[in-house]
Amino acid sequence: MSYEPPTPPANIPTEIVNTLNESPPEQLQDIATYAEALAEHKEREARLEESADQEEVEERPDDVPAKATITIKEINDNRYYYWQWRDGEKIRSQYKGPVNPDE
């Protein structure tokens, strides 16, 4: 039985795909962990910029760290705000409220 390698997304530059294809599995795991953390960092930075633009002071529960940011999750076609932060290797979330207070 032969297995085909995964097809890379079209928007990844060829030189990155080639480098990844030449990397051993352990290094690929490290790259994946780093890429996920970097993406979360950049998303958090963008959310912080957006929230700073809104100049709205959020009330934060005592058990939510200062580094937490607000994210929106969609569940059953309803949108909800959640506090979200990293706790070691885990991402923690805490419900804040509905995006639309009438929900």
Side-chain angles (χ1 to χ4, degrees):
M1 177 182 277
S2 68
Y3 294 100
E4 293 294 318
T7 303
N11 63 342
I12 296 180
T14 302
E15 54 272 7
I16 293 176
V17 171
N18 291 340
T19 299
L20 293 173
N21 284 333
E22 295 168 1
S23 300
E26 300 82 22
Q27 191 175 38
L28 288 171
Q29 291 295 334
D30 291 341
I31 291 168
T33 300
Y34 170 72
E36 183 177 329
L38 182 60
E40 289 173 4
H41 171 75
K42 289 187 174 201
E43 288 171 349
R44 186 178 312 114
E45 290 292 314
R47 286 193 304 267
L48 288 174
E49 276 185 30
E50 184 178 305
S51 67
D53 291 344
Q54 294 174 355
E55 297 180 13
E56 183 177 316
V57 176
E58 294 287 343
E59 292 221 10
R60 188 180 305 259
D62 291 335
D63 57 342
V64 173
K67 64 184 177 181
T69 58
I70 294 180
T71 59
I72 296 175
K73 294 184 181 183
E74 188 165 327
I75 302 170
N76 297 330
D77 296 324
N78 295 308
R79 298 175 58 191
Y80 302 96
Y81 288 117
Y82 280 82
W83 291 103
Q84 194 168 58
W85 65 96
R86 181 173 283 281
D87 183 12
E89 292 293 312
K90 296 185 176 187
I91 302 295
R92 303 282 185 191
S93 295
Q94 181 175 322
Y95 177 76
K96 181 179 183 319
V99 171
N100 179 351
D102 297 334
E103 292 179 2

